[in-house]
Amino acid sequence: MFFNLPTLFTWARIVAIPLIVGVYYLDLEKQTQNLFATGLFVVIALTDWLDGYLARKLNQTSAFGAFLDPVADKILVCAALLVLLELGRVNALVALVIVGREIAISALREWMAQIGASGSVAVHMVGKLKTMAQMIAIPFLLFDGTLFGMISTRLWGTVLMLAAVVLTIWSMVYYLQKALPEIRAKAR
């Protein structure tokens, strides 16, 4: 199941991620760069929904797809955060908390799988809310302008990113609490 249709969309998402970074190396006006990067991010992020929908609809779910999909999400978010950090639109501490959490929880999930307790760190609603806040905040911050003459995307992107940081910490604590009994049991 490395190359069924849903997995191909996931691979395409990974391959397209450098385009968001690459836009800022083109000789374009800053507003044009922002618009292209925002559009690319939104399209790439929507393929996350599309590959999951297709996997369920076509009955093409696979262990590999279940592994690759969150990896693609994490690479997308980390790449966008690095761009936003370079552009001065996100604080380094914000980026560090989000990227650090992703690494820590990925390592925790791998370890829990090795000890046969992956169910204790299964995806929870707070993790989904964190992802949703990030996926809305990032394009707002990439756009860095005013929508409809009255909505400051930098302001709303910053507010949503701060909400994402709170949800990031909350979800990390939640997953660690769920894993702790299994970790303690295996340490004996």
Side-chain angles (χ1 to χ4, degrees), residues 19-26 30 33-34 37 83 87 89 142:
L19 297 176
I20 295 170
V21 178
V23 163
Y24 289 98
Y25 288 95
L26 298 176
K30 188 58 80 180
Q33 290 174 331
N34 291 343
V83 166
L87 295 170
R89 298 179 194 170
L142 287 171

Side-chain angles (χ1 to χ4, degrees), residues 89-167:
R89 298 179 194 170
V90 73
N91 183 283
L93 185 58
V94 167
L96 181 62
V97 167
I98 292 172
V99 172
R101 181 263 186 209
E102 297 303 342
I103 293 168
I105 297 305
S106 293
L108 178 65
R109 284 192 170 125
E110 183 179 333
W111 186 23
M112 297 306 285
Q114 287 179 356
I115 65 172
S118 58
S120 64
V121 287
V123 175
H124 185 265
M125 183 54 72
V126 72
K128 290 182 180 189
L129 289 173
K130 172 219 35 120
T131 301
M132 185 173 64
Q134 289 173 350
M135 294 301 193
I136 297 170
I138 290 170
F140 273 24
L141 291 169
L142 287 171
F143 186 76
D144 193 40
T146 304
L147 288 176
F148 313 114
M150 61 183 179
I151 299 171
S152 167
T153 62
R154 178 153 322 186
L155 171 66
W156 283 104
T158 301
V159 168
L160 286 166
M161 191 58 76
L162 291 175
V165 167
V166 170
L167 291 167

Side-chain angles (χ1 to χ4, degrees), residues 111-112 115-117 120 176-188:
W111 186 23
M112 297 306 285
I115 65 172
S120 64
L176 289 171
Q177 285 178 331
K178 295 299 269 181
L180 197 55
E182 295 291 339
I183 293 168
R184 285 185 178 148
K186 296 294 180 181
R188 295 182 186 156

Side-chain angles (χ1 to χ4, degrees), residues 25-134:
Y25 288 95
L26 298 176
D27 186 24
L28 300 170
E29 289 183 21
K30 188 58 80 180
Q31 270 188 321
T32 304
Q33 290 174 331
N34 291 343
L35 184 60
F36 282 169
T38 303
L40 283 167
F41 183 90
V42 169
V43 168
I44 293 168
L46 286 175
T47 64
D48 181 31
W49 172 83
L50 182 62
D51 63 24
Y53 172 80
L54 288 173
R56 290 183 296 278
K57 182 82 170 164
L58 301 174
N59 196 27
Q60 293 183 347
T61 57
S62 68
F64 181 72
F67 156 77
L68 191 63
D69 185 67
V71 170
D73 292 344
K74 287 169 184 23
I75 296 170
L76 175 61
V77 167
C78 290
L81 282 172
L82 290 173
V83 166
L84 292 169
L85 184 61
E86 176 72 19
L87 295 170
R89 298 179 194 170
V90 73
N91 183 283
L93 185 58
V94 167
L96 181 62
V97 167
I98 292 172
V99 172
R101 181 263 186 209
E102 297 303 342
I103 293 168
I105 297 305
S106 293
L108 178 65
R109 284 192 170 125
E110 183 179 333
W111 186 23
M112 297 306 285
Q114 287 179 356
I115 65 172
S118 58
S120 64
V121 287
V123 175
H124 185 265
M125 183 54 72
V126 72
K128 290 182 180 189
L129 289 173
K130 172 219 35 120
T131 301
M132 185 173 64
Q134 289 173 350

